[in-house]
Amino acid sequence: MTNEQQFIPDWFSKPGDTLRAMMHRRCISINDLAGFFEGGLVVLRGLLDGSVAVDQAKAKTLAAKLGGTPDFWLKRQNNYEIALDRAVQIAADRESEEWLQRVPMPGGKPRGQISDRKLHEELRRRLVFFNVSSLKTWECRYGRLLGDTRFRTSPSFESNDDAVLLWLRRGELEADLISTRSWNPRNLEDRLKAIRQLSRISQPARFLPKLKEICAEAGVALVVVKAPHGCRASGASRLVTPNKAMILLSFRYRSDDQFWFTVFHEIGHLLLHGAKTFVDDDKTADDDTEQEANEFASSCIIPENRRSEFDRLADRDSVMRFSVSIGVAAGLTVGQMQHRQMIAPHQFNSLKRVWTWEDIDPALV
């Protein structure tokens, strides 16, 4: 029996794994390296997640900027393709129906009879997107994720599990592009004042980069991903590695009071509830952990030592003066007043900032 017959690994490693390790070793940032590729960040994203292949031109760039030779990078890609093809064939032979039924992909599940070629393409997409080599691995990593996730539910929260999982996975892929320090809850807590002050900045293109930078200093990758159809989540929090936390935001409600409350709510989960995964919409909490995160978020917006003054607010001018004095945007104060039923849901809404996707999209690059 040959060595190859004795051991055929059931896993694969993307060239992006080596790329990421060498970037870390040489302290080269994502943005610095992206500028050397035609296609920029889009191409580098694909190299890291395995959806873009290393060709001759990319191999030369990687060799020049990270080390190794072009042949090294091409061989690395070839080995990955061989291992991936093997995993796809095993999946096609043993469990193709389960893969297509259980593992979601953007664009939905194929319908009716599909050719062998299309089957292999669909399986390959799933293996690459989730970076797993077998259904067992996918089940361990993602199949149990939704069952272990704590949802803040409401009568209107009817998210499709597949859509939520795709959103979480896209968040993981984006978080992978963000360099952070090691996750440190105390460092995050120390930065709460700086975070809340950002609410006074009106445009997402100005405050989001600063928010991401502050969070990264505490080991948190802050990511914004539009929620796919069927996913009604506004925010999520989890540890994506032992040394990196993630706050995932969807901007589902594009007003400043909803956005910043969600930010603080997810920070609350990370600080109060550790490594559990939470997916949240913006409705009423249904258990102790959600109530704790809600109370934490409220206290971040309205300091406890100013609560009695807050309770006496009654007109637009007093809301504006109070908001300036505590260092937050007036819309956040209005949101808290509406939540506590101090005013009607339509009152003082002109003090809130409401963004369009044209406002938000430039900040997501």
Side-chain angles (χ1 to χ4, degrees):
M1 183 177 290
T2 66
N3 288 338
E4 185 177 358
Q5 290 172 321
Q6 289 175 336
F7 176 66
I8 300 178
D10 63 352
W11 50 268
F12 52 77
S13 173
K14 309 182 302 294
D17 297 334
T18 303
L19 193 162
R20 185 182 300 101
M22 295 179 77
M23 288 175 61
H24 179 74
R25 194 176 306 138
R26 288 165 173 73
C27 298
I28 297 176
S29 73
I30 293 286
N31 289 331
D32 288 342
L33 186 59
F36 295 106
F37 291 99
E38 185 177 351
L41 189 58
V42 172
V43 169
L44 184 52
R45 267 196 184 100
L47 290 171
L48 287 167
D49 66 30
S51 61
V52 171
V54 178
D55 57 19
Q56 189 69 46
K58 297 180 184 67
K60 288 181 179 179
T61 300
L62 291 170
K65 303 305 175 184
L66 295 180
T69 65
D71 283 345
F72 164 81
W73 289 103
L74 290 170
K75 181 66 173 177
R76 186 73 176 80
Q77 179 68 34
N78 185 62
N79 289 341
Y80 169 63
E81 295 287 345
I82 291 171
L84 178 57
D85 287 343
R86 182 171 57 241
V88 169
Q89 188 59 56
I90 292 172
D93 291 342
R94 299 179 183 176
E95 47 198 12
S96 59
E97 185 173 342
E98 286 186 87
W99 269 104
L100 298 185
Q101 291 300 316
R102 295 177 57 193
V103 181
M105 275 300 296
K109 300 171 182 177
R111 296 180 179 180
Q113 293 290 330
I114 61 175
S115 65
D116 287 345
R117 179 178 177 181
K118 180 65 174 176
L119 172 63
H120 280 68
E121 289 175 356
E122 290 288 340
L123 294 173
R124 184 185 181 93
R125 289 175 65 213
R126 285 159 173 76
L127 289 164
V128 171
F129 182 73
F130 286 102
N131 192 32
V132 294
S133 57
S134 68
L135 192 61
K136 181 179 179 181
T137 304
W138 182 86
E139 177 63 35
C140 290
R141 193 176 301 171
Y142 296 103
R144 298 173 184 171
L145 178 60
L146 291 176
D148 294 338
T149 297
R150 300 297 299 274
F151 288 89
R152 179 156 58 121
T153 59
S154 74
S156 66
F157 189 73
E158 298 174 350
S159 283
N160 176 278
D161 283 357
D162 286 357
V164 173
L165 187 56
L166 290 175
W167 181 64
L168 289 172
R169 177 57 181 154
R170 285 169 173 163
E172 284 184 347
L173 292 172
E174 290 299 310
D176 193 40
L177 298 175
I178 299 176
S179 298
T180 70
R181 294 181 181 176
S182 293
W183 161 234
N184 188 316
R186 179 169 294 182
N187 284 351
L188 181 59
E189 191 169 6
D190 289 342
R191 286 162 171 77
L192 284 173
K193 181 178 180 180
I195 291 172
R196 71 193 297 275
Q197 289 175 342
L198 294 179
S199 73
R200 297 180 298 179
I201 301 175
S202 61
Q203 290 302 316
R206 292 181 56 216
F207 69 71
L208 265 180
K210 295 179 180 180
L211 178 59
K212 291 178 180 180
E213 182 179 346
I214 291 171
C215 288
E217 291 171 352
V220 179
L222 185 128
V223 177
V224 177
V225 176
K226 292 181 183 179
H229 179 73
C231 175
R232 300 175 61 85
S234 59
S237 55
R238 64 184 302 236
L239 288 185
V240 289
T241 74
N243 294 316
K244 181 189 282 188
M246 176 183 73
I247 290 176
L248 176 57
L249 306 170
S250 71
F251 267 102
R252 180 169 174 247
Y253 297 97
R254 299 187 301 276
S255 62
D256 61 350
D257 64 316
Q258 297 276 8
F259 174 82
W260 287 105
F261 186 86
T262 299
V263 169
F264 292 124
H265 183 95
E266 302 308 332
I267 289 175
H269 278 316
L270 290 176
L271 295 179
L272 301 173
H273 307 133
K276 295 178 181 177
T277 299
F278 291 84
V279 175
D280 300 300
D281 81 344
D282 298 299
K283 304 300 180 182
T284 304
D286 69 342
D287 65 13
D288 290 344
T289 58
E290 293 305 331
Q291 188 61 42
E292 289 168 359
N294 275 348
E295 291 173 357
F296 177 89
S298 294
S299 68
C300 287
I301 296 169
I302 309 297
E304 292 295 334
N305 62 352
R306 303 294 297 274
R307 190 58 61 89
S308 61
E309 185 179 350
F310 167 77
D311 290 339
R312 295 193 299 271
L313 296 177
D315 58 67
R316 180 188 174 95
D317 288 342
S318 65
V319 169
M320 294 178 66
R321 288 194 300 271
F322 176 78
S323 301
V324 170
S325 72
I326 64 171
V328 300
L332 279 64
T333 303
V334 172
Q336 286 299 294
M337 294 174 71
Q338 292 173 342
H339 175 70
R340 294 174 180 274
Q341 299 182 342
M342 295 166 58
I343 56 176
H346 66 277
Q347 285 186 277
F348 303 156
N349 279 340
S350 62
L351 293 178
K352 297 181 182 181
R353 297 180 180 123
V354 180
W355 303 297
T356 66
W357 279 110
E358 286 72 23
D359 297 322
I360 299 166
D361 281 337
L364 307 188
V365 178

mmCIF file of all heavy atoms in Angstrom, residues 264-293:
data_model
loop_
_atom_site.group_PDB
_atom_site.id
_atom_site.type_symbol
_atom_site.label_atom_id
_atom_site.label_comp_id
_atom_site.label_asym_id
_atom_site.label_seq_id
_atom_site.Cartn_x
_atom_site.Cartn_y
_atom_site.Cartn_z
ATOM 1 N N PHE A 264 -24.865 49.442 21.105
ATOM 2 C CA PHE A 264 -24.667 49.284 22.546
ATOM 3 C C PHE A 264 -25.281 47.984 23.059
ATOM 4 O O PHE A 264 -24.762 47.372 24.000
ATOM 5 C CB PHE A 264 -25.237 50.491 23.290
ATOM 6 C CG PHE A 264 -24.474 51.760 23.046
ATOM 7 C CD1 PHE A 264 -25.120 52.887 22.566
ATOM 8 C CD2 PHE A 264 -23.107 51.828 23.277
ATOM 9 C CE1 PHE A 264 -24.414 54.063 22.329
ATOM 10 C CE2 PHE A 264 -22.391 53.000 23.052
ATOM 11 C CZ PHE A 264 -23.054 54.120 22.565
ATOM 12 N N HIS A 265 -26.370 47.559 22.455
ATOM 13 C CA HIS A 265 -26.989 46.291 22.849
ATOM 14 C C HIS A 265 -26.024 45.130 22.583
ATOM 15 O O HIS A 265 -25.845 44.248 23.443
ATOM 16 C CB HIS A 265 -28.293 46.093 22.066
ATOM 17 C CG HIS A 265 -29.054 44.863 22.434
ATOM 18 N ND1 HIS A 265 -30.081 44.872 23.355
ATOM 19 C CD2 HIS A 265 -28.923 43.576 22.024
ATOM 20 C CE1 HIS A 265 -30.564 43.644 23.482
ATOM 21 N NE2 HIS A 265 -29.883 42.836 22.684
ATOM 22 N N GLU A 266 -25.378 45.125 21.415
ATOM 23 C CA GLU A 266 -24.440 44.048 21.095
ATOM 24 C C GLU A 266 -23.187 44.134 21.959
ATOM 25 O O GLU A 266 -22.628 43.110 22.371
ATOM 26 C CB GLU A 266 -24.082 44.077 19.609
ATOM 27 C CG GLU A 266 -25.262 43.961 18.658
ATOM 28 C CD GLU A 266 -26.166 42.777 18.954
ATOM 29 O OE1 GLU A 266 -25.690 41.767 19.491
ATOM 30 O OE2 GLU A 266 -27.377 42.878 18.659
ATOM 31 N N ILE A 267 -22.726 45.339 22.240
ATOM 32 C CA ILE A 267 -21.608 45.487 23.174
ATOM 33 C C ILE A 267 -22.000 44.923 24.531
ATOM 34 O O ILE A 267 -21.202 44.241 25.196
ATOM 35 C CB ILE A 267 -21.197 46.973 23.301
ATOM 36 C CG1 ILE A 267 -20.524 47.444 22.008
ATOM 37 C CG2 ILE A 267 -20.245 47.171 24.489
ATOM 38 C CD1 ILE A 267 -20.191 48.931 21.991
ATOM 39 N N GLY A 268 -23.230 45.171 24.934
ATOM 40 C CA GLY A 268 -23.714 44.626 26.201
ATOM 41 C C GLY A 268 -23.645 43.113 26.227
ATOM 42 O O GLY A 268 -23.231 42.511 27.228
ATOM 43 N N HIS A 269 -24.052 42.472 25.152
ATOM 44 C CA HIS A 269 -23.955 41.008 25.092
ATOM 45 C C HIS A 269 -22.507 40.551 25.256
ATOM 46 O O HIS A 269 -22.226 39.598 25.992
ATOM 47 C CB HIS A 269 -24.502 40.498 23.760
ATOM 48 C CG HIS A 269 -25.986 40.377 23.713
ATOM 49 N ND1 HIS A 269 -26.733 39.843 24.740
ATOM 50 C CD2 HIS A 269 -26.885 40.704 22.742
ATOM 51 C CE1 HIS A 269 -28.012 39.847 24.408
ATOM 52 N NE2 HIS A 269 -28.134 40.368 23.205
ATOM 53 N N LEU A 270 -21.576 41.212 24.553
ATOM 54 C CA LEU A 270 -20.177 40.797 24.636
ATOM 55 C C LEU A 270 -19.621 40.964 26.051
ATOM 56 O O LEU A 270 -18.870 40.121 26.536
ATOM 57 C CB LEU A 270 -19.328 41.603 23.651
ATOM 58 C CG LEU A 270 -19.546 41.301 22.162
ATOM 59 C CD1 LEU A 270 -18.696 42.243 21.313
ATOM 60 C CD2 LEU A 270 -19.201 39.845 21.839
ATOM 61 N N LEU A 271 -19.999 42.049 26.700
ATOM 62 C CA LEU A 271 -19.456 42.313 28.033
ATOM 63 C C LEU A 271 -20.163 41.505 29.127
ATOM 64 O O LEU A 271 -19.528 41.093 30.098
ATOM 65 C CB LEU A 271 -19.570 43.809 28.355
ATOM 66 C CG LEU A 271 -18.734 44.756 27.485
ATOM 67 C CD1 LEU A 271 -18.969 46.197 27.912
ATOM 68 C CD2 LEU A 271 -17.245 44.420 27.566
ATOM 69 N N LEU A 272 -21.456 41.286 28.959
ATOM 70 C CA LEU A 272 -22.237 40.641 30.016
ATOM 71 C C LEU A 272 -22.398 39.140 29.836
ATOM 72 O O LEU A 272 -22.536 38.407 30.815
ATOM 73 C CB LEU A 272 -23.630 41.272 30.099
ATOM 74 C CG LEU A 272 -23.700 42.773 30.391
ATOM 75 C CD1 LEU A 272 -25.141 43.254 30.272
ATOM 76 C CD2 LEU A 272 -23.140 43.088 31.766
ATOM 77 N N HIS A 273 -22.371 38.685 28.575
ATOM 78 C CA HIS A 273 -22.777 37.305 28.311
ATOM 79 C C HIS A 273 -21.735 36.488 27.564
ATOM 80 O O HIS A 273 -22.033 35.417 27.032
ATOM 81 C CB HIS A 273 -24.097 37.302 27.532
ATOM 82 C CG HIS A 273 -25.159 38.122 28.197
ATOM 83 N ND1 HIS A 273 -25.942 39.040 27.533
ATOM 84 C CD2 HIS A 273 -25.545 38.175 29.500
ATOM 85 C CE1 HIS A 273 -26.770 39.619 28.392
ATOM 86 N NE2 HIS A 273 -26.557 39.109 29.596
ATOM 87 N N GLY A 274 -20.517 36.983 27.493
ATOM 88 C CA GLY A 274 -19.389 36.187 27.026
ATOM 89 C C GLY A 274 -19.493 35.699 25.600
ATOM 90 O O GLY A 274 -19.854 36.431 24.692
ATOM 91 N N ALA A 275 -19.192 34.406 25.427
ATOM 92 C CA ALA A 275 -18.971 33.846 24.099
ATOM 93 C C ALA A 275 -20.239 33.357 23.413
ATOM 94 O O ALA A 275 -20.164 32.790 22.327
ATOM 95 C CB ALA A 275 -17.963 32.693 24.186
ATOM 96 N N LYS A 276 -21.394 33.542 23.996
ATOM 97 C CA LYS A 276 -22.617 33.085 23.344
ATOM 98 C C LYS A 276 -22.886 33.917 22.085
ATOM 99 O O LYS A 276 -22.461 35.065 21.978
ATOM 100 C CB LYS A 276 -23.809 33.204 24.296
ATOM 101 C CG LYS A 276 -23.723 32.298 25.512
ATOM 102 C CD LYS A 276 -24.923 32.506 26.421
ATOM 103 C CE LYS A 276 -24.840 31.628 27.663
ATOM 104 N NZ LYS A 276 -25.980 31.871 28.591
ATOM 105 N N THR A 277 -23.607 33.313 21.150
ATOM 106 C CA THR A 277 -23.990 34.016 19.937
ATOM 107 C C THR A 277 -25.401 34.563 20.092
ATOM 108 O O THR A 277 -26.309 33.840 20.484
ATOM 109 C CB THR A 277 -23.936 33.076 18.718
ATOM 110 O OG1 THR A 277 -22.600 32.613 18.554
ATOM 111 C CG2 THR A 277 -24.366 33.802 17.448
ATOM 112 N N PHE A 278 -25.568 35.847 19.785
ATOM 113 C CA PHE A 278 -26.875 36.492 19.864
ATOM 114 C C PHE A 278 -27.215 37.099 18.513
ATOM 115 O O PHE A 278 -26.360 37.706 17.868
ATOM 116 C CB PHE A 278 -26.880 37.600 20.926
ATOM 117 C CG PHE A 278 -26.788 37.098 22.340
ATOM 118 C CD1 PHE A 278 -25.562 36.798 22.905
ATOM 119 C CD2 PHE A 278 -27.930 36.913 23.102
ATOM 120 C CE1 PHE A 278 -25.474 36.327 24.204
ATOM 121 C CE2 PHE A 278 -27.853 36.441 24.404
ATOM 122 C CZ PHE A 278 -26.619 36.148 24.959
ATOM 123 N N VAL A 279 -28.446 36.926 18.097
ATOM 124 C CA VAL A 279 -28.979 37.588 16.907
ATOM 125 C C VAL A 279 -30.196 38.375 17.349
ATOM 126 O O VAL A 279 -31.108 37.817 17.956
ATOM 127 C CB VAL A 279 -29.356 36.585 15.803
ATOM 128 C CG1 VAL A 279 -30.020 37.298 14.632
ATOM 129 C CG2 VAL A 279 -28.122 35.832 15.317
ATOM 130 N N ASP A 280 -30.214 39.661 17.037
ATOM 131 C CA ASP A 280 -31.234 40.550 17.591
ATOM 132 C C ASP A 280 -31.964 41.342 16.522
ATOM 133 O O ASP A 280 -31.364 41.799 15.553
ATOM 134 C CB ASP A 280 -30.587 41.555 18.556
ATOM 135 C CG ASP A 280 -29.891 40.870 19.721
ATOM 136 O OD1 ASP A 280 -30.579 40.160 20.456
ATOM 137 O OD2 ASP A 280 -28.677 41.035 19.873
ATOM 138 N N ASP A 281 -33.268 41.526 16.751
ATOM 139 C CA ASP A 281 -33.977 42.561 16.022
ATOM 140 C C ASP A 281 -34.194 43.703 17.018
ATOM 141 O O ASP A 281 -33.556 43.764 18.059
ATOM 142 C CB ASP A 281 -35.278 42.032 15.394
ATOM 143 C CG ASP A 281 -36.436 41.959 16.380
ATOM 144 O OD1 ASP A 281 -36.184 42.015 17.597
ATOM 145 O OD2 ASP A 281 -37.576 41.820 15.923
ATOM 146 N N ASP A 282 -35.069 44.614 16.692
ATOM 147 C CA ASP A 282 -35.188 45.818 17.521
ATOM 148 C C ASP A 282 -36.486 45.877 18.319
ATOM 149 O O ASP A 282 -36.980 46.950 18.622
ATOM 150 C CB ASP A 282 -35.090 47.060 16.630
ATOM 151 C CG ASP A 282 -33.752 47.123 15.939
ATOM 152 O OD1 ASP A 282 -32.742 47.194 16.632
ATOM 153 O OD2 ASP A 282 -33.733 47.076 14.702
ATOM 154 N N LYS A 283 -37.021 44.726 18.653
ATOM 155 C CA LYS A 283 -38.292 44.715 19.373
ATOM 156 C C LYS A 283 -38.079 44.400 20.852
ATOM 157 O O LYS A 283 -36.981 44.434 21.377
ATOM 158 C CB LYS A 283 -39.243 43.709 18.713
ATOM 159 C CG LYS A 283 -39.458 43.969 17.231
ATOM 160 C CD LYS A 283 -40.042 45.342 16.968
ATOM 161 C CE LYS A 283 -40.253 45.593 15.485
ATOM 162 N NZ LYS A 283 -40.764 46.927 15.195
ATOM 163 N N THR A 284 -39.134 44.047 21.510
ATOM 164 C CA THR A 284 -39.103 43.854 22.952
ATOM 165 C C THR A 284 -38.342 42.592 23.327
ATOM 166 O O THR A 284 -38.501 41.551 22.702
ATOM 167 C CB THR A 284 -40.541 43.762 23.499
ATOM 168 O OG1 THR A 284 -41.246 44.933 23.099
ATOM 169 C CG2 THR A 284 -40.539 43.650 25.001
ATOM 170 N N ALA A 285 -37.551 42.685 24.371
ATOM 171 C CA ALA A 285 -36.788 41.534 24.838
ATOM 172 C C ALA A 285 -37.718 40.475 25.411
ATOM 173 O O ALA A 285 -38.799 40.767 25.878
ATOM 174 C CB ALA A 285 -35.791 41.975 25.910
ATOM 175 N N ASP A 286 -37.253 39.212 25.374
ATOM 176 C CA ASP A 286 -38.110 38.140 25.875
ATOM 177 C C ASP A 286 -37.457 37.282 26.941
ATOM 178 O O ASP A 286 -38.018 36.289 27.363
ATOM 179 C CB ASP A 286 -38.590 37.250 24.716
ATOM 180 C CG ASP A 286 -37.456 36.427 24.108
ATOM 181 O OD1 ASP A 286 -36.286 36.786 24.346
ATOM 182 O OD2 ASP A 286 -37.742 35.437 23.427
ATOM 183 N N ASP A 287 -36.246 37.623 27.386
ATOM 184 C CA ASP A 287 -35.631 36.863 28.465
ATOM 185 C C ASP A 287 -34.665 37.750 29.235
ATOM 186 O O ASP A 287 -34.470 38.926 28.914
ATOM 187 C CB ASP A 287 -34.946 35.591 27.934
ATOM 188 C CG ASP A 287 -33.764 35.897 27.023
ATOM 189 O OD1 ASP A 287 -33.307 37.060 26.979
ATOM 190 O OD2 ASP A 287 -33.281 34.962 26.362
ATOM 191 N N ASP A 288 -34.057 37.193 30.273
ATOM 192 C CA ASP A 288 -33.206 38.000 31.149
ATOM 193 C C ASP A 288 -31.994 38.570 30.430
ATOM 194 O O ASP A 288 -31.600 39.717 30.671
ATOM 195 C CB ASP A 288 -32.745 37.151 32.342
ATOM 196 C CG ASP A 288 -33.878 36.820 33.304
ATOM 197 O OD1 ASP A 288 -34.928 37.496 33.217
ATOM 198 O OD2 ASP A 288 -33.717 35.890 34.122
ATOM 199 N N THR A 289 -31.374 37.759 29.546
ATOM 200 C CA THR A 289 -30.168 38.243 28.872
ATOM 201 C C THR A 289 -30.495 39.433 27.968
ATOM 202 O O THR A 289 -29.720 40.396 27.898
ATOM 203 C CB THR A 289 -29.504 37.127 28.041
ATOM 204 O OG1 THR A 289 -30.445 36.627 27.083
ATOM 205 C CG2 THR A 289 -29.038 35.990 28.920
ATOM 206 N N GLU A 290 -31.617 39.372 27.291
ATOM 207 C CA GLU A 290 -31.987 40.478 26.425
ATOM 208 C C GLU A 290 -32.362 41.715 27.232
ATOM 209 O O GLU A 290 -32.044 42.838 26.857
ATOM 210 C CB GLU A 290 -33.141 40.069 25.511
ATOM 211 C CG GLU A 290 -32.770 39.016 24.489
ATOM 212 C CD GLU A 290 -31.582 39.415 23.622
ATOM 213 O OE1 GLU A 290 -31.380 40.622 23.391
ATOM 214 O OE2 GLU A 290 -30.846 38.516 23.188
ATOM 215 N N GLN A 291 -33.023 41.511 28.343
ATOM 216 C CA GLN A 291 -33.355 42.639 29.201
ATOM 217 C C GLN A 291 -32.089 43.286 29.746
ATOM 218 O O GLN A 291 -31.978 44.519 29.808
ATOM 219 C CB GLN A 291 -34.259 42.180 30.350
ATOM 220 C CG GLN A 291 -34.813 43.320 31.194
ATOM 221 C CD GLN A 291 -35.674 44.266 30.369
ATOM 222 O OE1 GLN A 291 -36.465 43.832 29.546
ATOM 223 N NE2 GLN A 291 -35.502 45.558 30.584
ATOM 224 N N GLU A 292 -31.119 42.466 30.120
ATOM 225 C CA GLU A 292 -29.842 43.004 30.612
ATOM 226 C C GLU A 292 -29.129 43.801 29.526
ATOM 227 O O GLU A 292 -28.584 44.881 29.797
ATOM 228 C CB GLU A 292 -28.961 41.859 31.100
ATOM 229 C CG GLU A 292 -29.429 41.213 32.388
ATOM 230 C CD GLU A 292 -28.713 39.911 32.686
ATOM 231 O OE1 GLU A 292 -27.861 39.492 31.872
ATOM 232 O OE2 GLU A 292 -29.017 39.307 33.739
ATOM 233 N N ALA A 293 -29.123 43.288 28.292
ATOM 234 C CA ALA A 293 -28.477 44.003 27.196
ATOM 235 C C ALA A 293 -29.227 45.289 26.870
ATOM 236 O O ALA A 293 -28.608 46.318 26.546
ATOM 237 C CB ALA A 293 -28.387 43.104 25.958
#
